[in-house]
Amino acid sequence: MTSLRFDTRVEQDPDRVWAVLTDVSKIPEWFPAVKEACFDGVHRHLRTPDGQLKAVVVTENDELRRFQYRFVEGLPLPIDFHLGTIDVLPDGEGSRVVYSQEILPEGLAPIVERAVSEGIAGIARYFATHP
């Protein structure tokens, strides 16, 4: 299994960061690969230039500011296991966002790594331009 972890610091209150990152409609504003996103009550549906992804929400804990999801369809190889986690932590006057992924098969790791590194950079950009 491949484990990946990225993080960034933003000069925003953790509650505000949490609210943005858990609002499905805002995903295209901070995650460059996502062009459209919606939630049907069970799955998050994400449209990318390469097609559709479907994810099930595993955890959405407002107290811990932890969000976890699993991709269940749409990656270019069959998914044996996937868990994405976003944690929003207080960090001085701002927030630290930690974005991690666990994925099998390992052949998906380069695809996921590229997308998530763009996503964490997008989070930093979003909060730098939306004070």
Side-chain angles (χ1 to χ4, degrees):
M1 180 173 316
T2 299
S3 294
L4 306 165
R5 183 169 49 196
F6 301 87
D7 73 284
T8 191
R9 186 174 190 293
V10 296
E11 297 292 331
Q12 299 284 330
D13 175 76
D15 289 331
R16 178 165 186 276
V17 174
W18 175 249
V20 169
L21 297 183
T22 56
D23 181 346
V24 176
S25 69
K26 291 203 176 291
I27 294 172
E29 295 180 43
W30 60 266
F31 204 109
V34 176
K35 303 307 175 197
E36 189 177 306
C38 66
F39 183 62
D40 67 10
V42 176
H43 294 101
R44 284 179 162 210
H45 299 272
L46 309 174
R47 186 179 59 76
T48 72
D50 298 322
Q52 298 281 335
L53 297 167
K54 184 161 69 170
V56 64
V57 174
V58 175
T59 303
E60 188 167 347
N61 186 313
D62 294 330
E63 186 177 327
L64 292 177
R65 291 187 212 94
R66 170 170 269 201
F67 181 82
Q68 294 181 301
Y69 63 96
R70 289 183 193 266
F71 282 123
V72 293
E73 287 180 18
L75 291 174
L77 296 172
I79 306 164
D80 295 328
F81 179 83
H82 172 265
L83 181 64
T85 303
I86 298 174
D87 289 303
V88 179
L89 307 167
D91 188 3
E93 301 282 319
S95 303
R96 170 113 3 231
V97 178
V98 180
Y99 199 166
S100 59
Q101 301 281 313
E102 295 176 46
I103 189 113
L104 268 176
E106 293 183 357
L108 286 170
I111 296 164
V112 173
E113 183 174 23
R114 184 174 49 255
V116 176
S117 66
E118 291 172 1
I120 199 78
I123 290 169
R125 271 192 310 276
Y126 178 91
F127 287 104
T129 59
H130 292 82

